[in-house]
Amino acid sequence: MEEFEKEIRKIFLEEAKQLLEDVEECFFRLEKEPENPDVVERIFRLAHSLKGSSGGVGYQDIMEFTHHFENVLVRLKKREIQVTPSLVDFLLRAKDALNESVALKLSDIAATSDFGALTAETALHLNGTSQSSSSSAVTAMSPFASAKAGDIVFADDFPADTGGPSVEGESPSNLRLVASHGGSSVGRAEARVQNSSQSTKAGKPPEESMRVAPSRIDRIINSIGELVILQSVLEQNRDQVTSPLLVKTIGQLGKLLREIQGNAMELRMVPLKPTFQRLQRIVRDTARALGKDVQVDVVGEDAEVDRTVHERLTDPLVHMVRNAVDHGLELPDDRVRAGKPVVGTVTISAENRGDRLIILIRDDGKGLNPELVWKKAIEKGLLPADARYSPEAATQLIFLPGFSTKPAVTELSGRGVGMDVVKTNLEALGGQVRITSELGKGSCFEITLPLSLGVIEGMIVTTSCERYIVPLTQVQETTRITAESITQFEAAQEMLTLRGTTMRLHRLSNLLAAGRAPRKGPPGKPAGAPTEAIAIILKRNDDSLHAIAVDDIVSQQQVVIKRLDAKLAQLGAFTGGTILGDGKAALLLDLKELTNGIGA
């Protein structure tokens, strides 16, 4: 195969990924609006485009299957067959098969796929005899049929790249999905898309787009990061420049470089729409498996986040949404007895707030019973029997490894694997997750994430003649401490009392020495030494407060993070490094990792 042909095929496959994402959204709309001819027409156009393009690049397997697929759509357009849950099941499974075929071909450009079973099923739908066979096929092919409890499904099924052509300028900002069991163990799902006013509807032409390899963008951003470092060196030494023109030029250069950096970072920003769209599928399959009535309201799907964050965000969101349906929402009969609407609601919202992304996942289910959670934690040995009960602390226990309130292991849950991984993965991204819940009314998970992992807001601190960077996301507050506020506890542990709250006090230099981290300066003050210092107050995952004493806080600024070599990365306490304005390196500290294993 010639290189030109390979390149053409790759372009087709990338565009096919976007087409398949668009068509799944249409399937949900079709189930909600079966009489809407525009929905059927759009599905037909997408399928026809896929068929023609696949044939043009020599993928006969995709072309032949989409030809049979088109036959079903033609009869649907003519209203010779009706929209039923089993038909939508077939459409979704056909889309999944095409997705798998595209993924296979991306790894092996000459690979072929077998659509034999689905091709045979098209004949059943054309003959109107597909109801029973389709329903059983859906159950067998459900992602939850083969998933182990605690697994996060669809982790790798969908691409992170959201590039590609849009269809008719549509970009829905609010999605509404309803999944109903319809009185049986296998339910149906309905979706309604409310289109926001778009630039095309306002008379403005859509922006042109072009495909660029992510690696090229990464190289540009890395180079700009180097320029930012060099510019900070100039800025720090500006007082040594005698020429007024050069001083002014350095200031203008800094302003222009910040603008260039911001524009470059935007190149890696991708909308959450593809992720939120696939959450509809999770809700549909989970609701069908559990026999629940579920409605999902999605708001803010146009919010954006850095591609590197986006790629690692999917798994936690999928798991949390699935848990909302499985653990949070009641069965229809239970909701009626509780005086609630039969249809439960899960709301997913996203918002860009400054340099952070805020995602909320709410449900109107039964909420968490803190007393039950506390009791289960003690039964499983996750808490001592004499632990002091706290409703707020009980709510956070669901993030402990091995915790589950399920009395038995099912296909969906019960092994106590999942929420601890979710929290760990989010914190690895520099994010946080917080839960609030009200018994009988529902729960809300709030996820806070940085928009980018390449540039962070950091605090430059010094200890033992060395400078380190502390992410601001780990800083609750800073305070100056004196000998009077420090008390001795046990043999070598200092305690700090701050506004009536007592917490452990750690010397950063001692923590680094205990972690065998590289340090050039003299050793830190011995534990218990009465001295004035500045304390950084850290709130750990277990909600305990710890104070980290440093010699000084130099400044607070944006820093460009660089990866560490393998040896330093293994220490765990360091998550990256940067070059400061004087041209010297500084390491990025993970205070939570440094205090890991130290009791509250």
Side-chain angles (χ1 to χ4, degrees):
M1 184 182 299
E2 296 182 359
E3 287 301 318
F4 175 75
E5 185 178 356
K6 290 181 180 179
E7 188 64 27
I8 292 296
R9 286 191 171 191
K10 287 181 181 179
I11 293 174
F12 159 75
L13 293 172
E14 291 295 332
E15 292 181 347
K17 289 195 300 184
Q18 182 63 46
L19 285 173
L20 291 171
E21 285 187 359
D22 291 340
V23 81
E24 181 173 86
E25 178 186 318
C26 292
F27 294 157
F28 289 126
R29 291 187 62 189
L30 177 67
E31 194 166 32
K32 176 65 178 178
E33 308 169 26
E35 302 299 323
N36 188 338
D38 294 336
V39 178
V40 180
E41 183 62 34
R42 186 181 176 197
I43 296 173
F44 184 83
R45 288 199 306 271
L46 290 171
H48 189 74
S49 176
L50 185 63
K51 183 184 78 170
S53 299
S54 60
V57 298
Y59 283 134
Q60 293 295 120
D61 53 347
I62 294 180
M63 186 191 73
E64 291 175 2
F65 173 66
T66 49
H67 174 73
H68 292 287
F69 187 78
E70 267 190 332
N71 291 337
V72 176
L73 297 176
V74 168
R75 294 201 61 188
L76 198 60
K77 286 177 61 177
K78 294 180 179 179
R79 299 191 178 184
E80 296 175 357
I81 56 176
Q82 300 299 315
V83 176
T84 62
S86 62
L87 176 62
V88 176
D89 292 336
F90 164 71
L91 297 178
L92 289 170
R93 284 184 288 109
K95 178 261 177 186
D96 288 345
L98 288 168
N99 242 356
E100 292 173 4
S101 179
V102 168
L104 176 64
K105 289 173 170 58
L106 281 170
S107 61
D108 180 2
I109 205 72
T112 59
S113 303
D114 182 10
F115 295 98
L118 283 171
T119 300
E121 193 174 337
T122 59
L124 298 177
H125 285 281
L126 290 172
N127 295 329
T129 59
S130 61
Q131 183 69 34
S132 60
S133 61
S134 177
S135 297
S136 61
V138 170
T139 304
M141 295 188 68
S142 169
F144 299 102
S146 59
K148 300 185 294 296
D151 282 355
I152 300 178
V153 296
F154 298 115
D156 300 311
D157 291 351
F158 297 86
D161 176 26
T162 59
S166 61
V167 179
E168 303 226 340
E170 293 192 13
S171 178
S173 61
N174 294 286
L175 302 179
R176 188 177 181 87
L177 171 68
V178 179
S180 169
H181 70 10
S184 66
S185 60
V186 178
R188 62 188 179 87
E190 299 176 346
R192 177 163 60 87
V193 179
Q194 299 174 337
N195 291 324
S196 61
S197 58
Q198 304 297 311
S199 60
T200 52
K201 296 179 181 179
K204 298 179 181 179
E207 291 186 356
E208 295 184 3
S209 62
M210 61 180 294
R211 290 188 177 276
V212 179
S215 59
R216 294 186 178 183
I217 296 176
D218 291 342
R219 288 197 296 270
I220 291 175
I221 291 176
N222 288 338
S223 297
I224 292 176
E226 297 293 337
L227 285 175
V228 171
I229 292 172
L230 293 176
Q231 195 277 331
S232 65
V233 174
L234 287 175
E235 188 69 32
Q236 185 158 326
N237 295 278
R238 186 163 59 168
D239 57 350
Q240 301 180 24
V241 179
T242 57
S243 169
L245 177 60
L246 287 180
V247 171
K248 181 179 179 181
T249 302
I250 291 174
Q252 292 174 332
L253 176 63
K255 181 179 179 181
L256 179 60
L257 193 53
R258 284 192 294 271
E259 182 179 345
I260 293 174
Q261 184 184 28
N263 292 336
M265 296 301 295
E266 287 182 2
L267 294 176
R268 290 205 313 193
M269 302 295 283
V270 295
L272 290 172
K273 176 184 175 182
T275 298
F276 281 5
Q277 182 174 316
R278 77 192 62 164
L279 293 180
Q280 298 177 73
R281 185 71 177 274
I282 301 298
V283 170
R284 188 181 197 273
D285 289 343
T286 307
R288 291 169 62 83
L290 299 174
K292 293 183 177 181
D293 295 356
V294 184
Q295 169 182 296
V296 173
D297 292 334
V298 179
V299 180
E301 62 171 3
D302 291 330
E304 294 183 324
V305 70
D306 188 283
R307 178 177 57 85
T308 54
V309 177
H310 181 270
E311 290 171 353
R312 297 159 62 184
L313 177 62
T314 301
D315 284 1
L317 286 182
V318 166
H319 196 82
M320 295 175 78
V321 170
R322 189 178 68 175
N323 269 15
V325 179
D326 183 15
H327 293 272
L329 297 178
E330 310 93 332
L331 290 167
D333 292 344
D334 294 334
R335 291 184 63 85
V336 172
R337 283 192 291 270
K340 296 182 177 181
V342 174
V343 179
T345 301
V346 173
T347 303
I348 307 170
S349 63
E351 175 188 3
N352 289 132
R353 193 178 300 167
D355 64 346
R356 312 292 287 176
L357 172 68
I358 311 296
I359 299 177
L360 300 179
I361 299 177
R362 294 191 181 93
D363 69 73
D364 66 345
K366 54 182 176 289
L368 286 174
N369 185 332
E371 294 183 2
L372 174 62
V373 170
W374 195 265
K375 180 180 177 182
K376 283 288 184 180
I378 294 176
E379 288 178 1
K380 292 178 177 291
L382 301 175
L383 280 179
D386 59 349
R388 185 177 178 182
Y389 172 73
S390 164
E392 294 77 16
T395 302
Q396 307 304 317
L397 291 176
I398 66 169
F399 294 111
L400 292 177
F403 181 83
S404 177
T405 57
K406 287 282 187 177
V409 175
T410 68
E411 289 185 351
L412 293 181
S413 58
R415 297 187 190 272
V417 179
M419 293 308 294
D420 61 315
V421 178
V422 165
K423 187 168 186 177
T424 300
N425 289 347
L426 290 174
E427 289 178 344
L429 293 171
Q432 298 175 330
V433 57
R434 186 171 56 122
I435 179 174
T436 56
S437 182
E438 186 174 354
L439 187 61
K441 294 188 177 181
S443 303
C444 176
F445 289 84
E446 180 178 343
I447 301 169
T448 305
L449 288 164
L451 292 181
S452 172
L453 299 181
V455 179
I456 69 163
E457 287 288 339
M459 181 180 290
I460 303 176
V461 302
T462 62
T463 186
S464 300
C465 304
E466 289 296 317
R467 291 174 299 179
Y468 298 95
I469 310 295
V470 175
L472 282 185
T473 55
Q474 293 191 358
V475 179
Q476 284 281 111
E477 63 174 298
T478 60
T479 183
R480 184 168 291 279
I481 58 176
T482 61
E484 290 73 22
S485 60
I486 302 173
T487 57
Q488 194 75 17
F489 177 71
E490 296 177 344
Q493 176 63 63
E494 292 176 295
M495 303 296 290
L496 172 67
T497 301
L498 179 64
R499 296 191 295 273
T501 300
T502 302
M503 65 194 76
R504 289 179 182 264
L505 173 63
H506 314 278
R507 306 283 172 177
L508 178 58
S509 54
N510 292 337
L511 288 174
L512 292 173
R516 296 184 299 280
R519 203 166 37 83
K520 298 178 182 178
K525 296 282 185 181
T531 180
E532 291 192 2
I534 297 175
I536 298 172
I537 309 302
L538 163 73
K539 187 173 184 179
R540 294 197 320 190
N541 299 345
D542 57 5
D543 288 335
S544 63
L545 294 176
H546 289 248
I548 314 296
V550 300
D551 294 342
D552 194 13
I553 296 177
V554 179
S555 65
Q556 176 181 321
Q557 64 185 60
Q558 275 195 345
V559 293
V560 179
I561 302 303
K562 299 291 185 180
R563 292 183 180 179
L564 299 177
D565 62 29
K567 289 184 179 180
L568 282 175
Q570 288 176 357
L571 293 175
F574 301 115
T575 56
T578 190
I579 304 298
L580 299 178
D582 59 2
K584 295 182 179 179
L587 294 170
L588 180 68
L589 288 177
D590 185 344
L591 296 183
K592 293 184 179 180
E593 181 65 28
L594 273 176
T595 60
N596 188 30
I598 301 176

